[in-house]
Amino acid sequence: MLRKSWEFFILFNKEVFYNKIALLWTLVIPLFFMVFNHLSWLTNPPNFQSFKNNIFLYWGFMILTTAIYGVGISILMLRDNGFLKMFKFIARNKLPIILGKIGSQWFFVTINLVIFTAASALLFHQPVFSVLSIAIIVAIIVPLPIFFLFLWISSLPYRQETISPIFTILMSSLIYFANVEVNHKSLLVLNPASFILNVSKLISDAVSNHVWDITLSYTLVVIMGVYILIGVFSYKIIDITPKAGRI
């Protein structure tokens, strides 16, 4: 199982790192808007706390984009193109395929988070190693449960081109409302973008200020468990048969 998962991980890595659209959405566009929206910071750098509060939103965008398009919709594309069925025939099980896909996207978003964070910190004259340490811990902890959560997209009985525009709107809405409701912990489970922001803030406080919110950490662990359970259930109902006749 591990060997098969590793082989699919290598295969999907070759695909994702040659995919210019994925690189554009998860690295180039966030970096462009980070600079464009904060041009004044180039000559008048913000304090470290303001910088972190802003960069957390971009981390959320990058992780959600990867989860929705790199995992959820990408698996739908594999199914509709017949590759998921072919890969399952080769592997005798769809689990190595899903794990390989999740692993490759996890690696991909981690690399992008590191590059984006380092570039932003250098441009805006922030302590690079301090913010990078937070970014790396976030990249290790956060993407996996988010990727599992969005496996529910892969279980939908529709073609990917039909539902892709809907999820573009959904992702923008999640980011917007996360910025509004970030302090309302009861809504965390409903919005994965809020989950990302709160985990980032929790880790930031622990690394920078040596403060740990026990109540929030318990809440986030429970939500993480819920996301993984949703992913496990979604995995079980993912169909490998192409939906050529579905709209």
Side-chain angles (χ1 to χ4, degrees):
M1 178 66 70
L2 289 177
R3 181 177 178 181
K4 291 178 181 178
S5 299
W6 173 256
E7 290 171 350
F8 280 110
F9 170 78
I10 298 298
L11 173 65
F12 292 133
N13 264 343
K14 293 178 181 178
E15 174 194 9
V16 73
F17 281 100
Y18 281 102
N19 187 340
K20 301 301 186 294
I21 301 298
L23 189 64
L24 177 70
W25 272 100
T26 56
L27 179 60
V28 177
I29 288 179
L31 188 57
F32 170 80
F33 279 104
M34 182 68 178
V35 175
F36 181 78
N37 290 331
H38 303 96
L39 286 174
S40 62
W41 285 2
L42 294 172
T43 54
N44 185 25
N47 61 58
F48 191 38
Q49 190 60 47
S50 296
F51 174 75
K52 288 190 295 183
N53 289 339
N54 276 272
I55 205 170
F56 293 162
L57 285 170
Y58 290 91
W59 290 354
F61 174 84
M62 295 167 74
I63 293 171
L64 282 180
T65 299
T66 307
I68 292 173
Y69 294 98
V71 176
I73 291 179
S74 180
I75 293 173
L76 282 185
M77 293 175 65
L78 287 176
R79 182 197 66 191
D80 292 341
N81 292 332
F83 286 110
L84 189 57
K85 186 174 183 178
M86 181 183 71
F87 289 157
K88 185 186 176 185
F89 176 79
I90 296 170
R92 304 298 181 185
N93 193 328
K94 64 184 178 184
L95 183 58
I97 307 166
I98 304 301
L99 291 179
K101 171 61 73 173
I102 288 175
S104 70
Q105 294 298 319
W106 198 355
F107 181 63
F108 179 67
V109 78
T110 298
I111 297 297
N112 285 332
L113 276 174
V114 168
I115 296 173
F116 171 82
T117 302
S120 299
L122 289 170
L123 284 170
F124 300 125
H125 310 287
Q126 300 297 314
V128 177
F129 292 107
S130 295
V131 71
L132 264 182
S133 63
I134 299 168
I136 291 170
I137 297 172
V138 168
I140 292 172
I141 295 175
V142 173
L144 184 61
I146 300 295
F147 291 173
F148 267 87
L149 171 65
F150 281 98
L151 281 179
W152 71 269
I153 299 176
S154 308
S155 67
L156 295 175
Y158 302 105
R159 293 181 299 182
Q160 61 85 19
E161 60 265 25
T162 304
I163 63 175
S164 289
I166 298 173
F167 286 103
T168 300
I169 298 171
L170 174 64
M171 181 177 62
S172 301
S173 300
L174 291 176
I175 294 292
Y176 172 78
F177 286 110
N179 197 28
V180 172
E181 70 190 29
V182 68
N183 292 318
H184 297 273
K185 305 301 184 292
S186 61
L187 297 175
L188 275 173
V189 71
L190 301 177
N191 190 346
S194 290
F195 171 80
I196 297 170
L197 292 183
N198 276 270
V199 173
S200 300
K201 183 179 184 302
L202 184 71
I203 293 170
S204 173
D205 288 342
V207 172
S208 301
N209 305 320
H210 306 290
V211 175
W212 187 261
D213 189 331
I214 299 297
T215 302
L216 177 59
S217 61
Y218 285 151
T219 303
L220 294 173
V221 168
V222 171
I223 294 171
M224 191 180 299
V226 172
Y227 287 172
I228 291 174
L229 286 176
I230 291 173
V232 170
F233 175 77
S234 300
Y235 161 77
K236 292 181 178 179
I237 60 175
I238 292 175
D239 192 4
I240 64 170
T241 306
K243 308 298 179 185
R246 297 295 181 95
I247 60 171

